[in-house]
Amino acid sequence: MVAVQKKYLSQFTMFGTVVTITLFAPNQPLIEQVYDYLVKMDQFFSMNRPDSELMRINQQAGHAPVTVSSTCFELIQAAITASRDYQDSFNVLIGPLVKLWQIGFGGQQVPSQSAIQARLALMNPADVQLDAVKQTVWLTKPGMMLDLGAIAKGYFADQVILQLQQAGVTHAIVNLGGNVKILGENPLTPTGQWVVGIQAPKAPRGYPALQLVTPAKTVVTSGIFERYFKVGTKLYHHILDPQTGYPVEKPIEQVSIVTTSSTLAEILSTVAFFKGATAGRQLIDRLPNVEAIFIDQNQQIQTTAGLQHLSEGVYAYE
Ligand code: ADP
Ligand code: MG
């Protein structure tokens, strides 16, 4: 008898999004472990729970350093480092601006210029003091606020894959609300390659603009069609420019990053979104083992050098 390779999908909602874990052998206890881990992460990092570690840090801004768990310290340290490296685009201190605009959370009007200016003064990464020995985080000015929305899911995806590996799993897919990370070879294809669909910005769910044929990687997308509001014909979306305080204006609709670390992919998807296709490709082409796919307003697709165009809509990772 020919052995049939089966897939086991587990799905639940978390952080207001859908989490799907795909395994190739049944392992319910492991799924429960991942679920419990993500519940714990939600408790650490939620902006909606006043007692989360993140909110304790934000509440103590301008007052005192806060001692946090090693997980929390590690993620915040990565986020602050990225904010220093990419000051003009990625900034984890964006919290006060996100709160002001309320995009995707009921906000429907453009804030005043003076309100925006006041918030911009609270976003300097140099005003954060991290103490690795004491594991403390201190936002030194009152009103400063961390918002890990552009990086946390990537970090969790990396950690979940690590946990699956430690449990002996050799092939798996973790999908945290569209943030995908894959482990090992695909047991269902002769080449071991995987096919990851990239959703078109304006198409209905389930109609990918293209399909990426790839070994185990992470694929992370930043786009402007998930959360926004309109005033007349002008669209205000949820990726904010830390220099102007307004939603970033670029002739691009979305960027997907393909690489190994999902944390890095999250950071670079935001950075590349700001740069647009031309400068973004130059930036990504300089980084080893990172590729990007840009989709513009006219649904035109551009990729970095490592993604070779095979045929309409199908790209292969070399
Ligand atoms: P999503 O997966 O929700 O589309 P992204 O990874 O694109 O998220 O990050 C968007 C979220 O990150 C916003 O909702 C906000 O909380 C936060 N954010 C917005 N602008 C920036 C920025 N320039 N740098 C860092 N974080 C940002
Ligand atoms: Mg991101």
Side-chain angles (χ1 to χ4, degrees):
M1 216 173 70
V2 181
V4 179
Q5 181 70 59
K6 293 181 183 170
K7 266 207 255 198
Y8 298 83
L9 271 77
S10 308
Q11 201 165 66
F12 46 87
T13 53
M14 188 76 69
F15 333 110
T17 193
V18 179
V19 174
T20 310
I21 316 276
T22 305
L23 301 178
F24 295 85
N27 194 338
Q28 194 56 27
L30 186 57
I31 296 295
E32 306 276 323
Q33 181 192 314
V34 168
Y35 180 85
D36 292 345
Y37 168 76
L38 292 173
V39 168
K40 200 168 107 191
M41 291 304 103
D42 190 37
Q43 284 164 359
F44 278 178
F45 297 112
S46 174
M47 296 285 269
N48 307 318
R49 295 168 191 262
D51 59 340
S52 71
E53 292 206 323
L54 187 67
M55 287 313 283
R56 279 202 295 124
I57 295 168
N58 289 343
Q59 281 153 7
Q60 288 301 317
H63 298 294
V66 174
T67 306
V68 295
S69 63
S70 56
T71 307
C72 188
F73 190 85
E74 186 179 90
L75 174 51
I76 289 172
Q77 191 169 42
I80 294 291
T81 304
S83 305
R84 286 175 185 154
D85 290 351
Y86 299 107
Q87 283 247 14
D88 57 345
S89 50
F90 183 92
N91 190 332
V92 71
L93 294 169
I94 203 96
L97 270 182
V98 172
K99 276 267 176 308
L100 180 67
W101 280 89
Q102 297 275 321
I103 295 168
F105 299 96
Q108 292 299 334
Q109 53 192 4
V110 178
S112 72
Q113 185 59 37
S114 60
I116 288 177
Q117 285 306 326
R119 302 304 204 282
L120 287 174
L122 301 171
M123 289 169 39
N124 188 349
D127 293 333
V128 180
Q129 284 188 20
L130 296 173
D131 186 327
V133 179
K134 291 188 188 147
Q135 288 210 141
T136 56
V137 180
W138 186 18
L139 312 181
T140 59
K141 289 187 177 171
M144 287 176 76
M145 206 184 286
L146 290 165
D147 176 335
L148 296 167
I151 187 171
K153 273 186 278 164
Y155 178 81
F156 301 154
D158 286 334
Q159 297 302 313
V160 169
I161 287 287
L162 213 59
Q163 286 174 19
L164 298 181
Q165 268 182 303
Q166 281 164 358
V169 170
T170 46
H171 330 271
I173 310 169
V174 170
N175 185 337
L176 302 182
N179 181 329
V180 174
K181 182 157 179 167
I182 303 173
L183 170 67
E185 294 194 335
N186 186 342
L188 302 179
T189 60
T191 58
Q193 302 267 84
W194 303 84
V195 179
V196 181
I198 308 251
Q199 182 72 34
K202 283 178 183 153
R205 288 264 156 224
Y207 291 88
L210 59 93
Q211 294 193 310
L212 183 69
V213 180
T214 176
K217 295 278 173 187
T218 185
V219 181
V220 173
T221 299
S222 271
I224 58 175
F225 272 87
E226 297 272 303
R227 280 185 270 148
Y228 60 84
F229 68 80
K230 272 184 168 173
V231 178
T233 54
K234 189 144 176 52
L235 185 140
Y236 296 91
H237 60 79
H238 77 308
I239 301 178
L240 300 169
D241 186 329
Q243 299 202 294
T244 66
Y246 286 82
V248 57
E249 297 221 28
K250 286 287 169 213
I252 191 99
E253 301 239 324
Q254 73 177 41
V255 184
S256 301
I257 299 288
V258 187
T259 187
T260 314
S261 156
S262 204
T263 310
L264 178 67
E266 279 268 18
I267 295 162
L268 292 178
S269 69
T270 300
V271 173
F273 184 84
F274 274 77
K275 296 211 177 288
T278 307
R281 269 162 58 191
Q282 285 168 4
L283 169 92
I284 301 297
D285 275 334
R286 281 200 300 271
L287 302 173
N289 304 316
V290 187
E291 303 297 340
I293 301 160
F294 297 83
I295 305 184
D296 72 11
Q297 251 78 342
N298 303 316
Q299 312 295 302
Q300 291 299 307
I301 297 169
Q302 296 187 50
T303 71
T304 45
L307 291 177
Q308 189 205 337
H309 193 182
L310 281 186
S311 64
E312 194 61 31
V314 180
Y315 294 79
Y317 194 100
E318 292 293 298

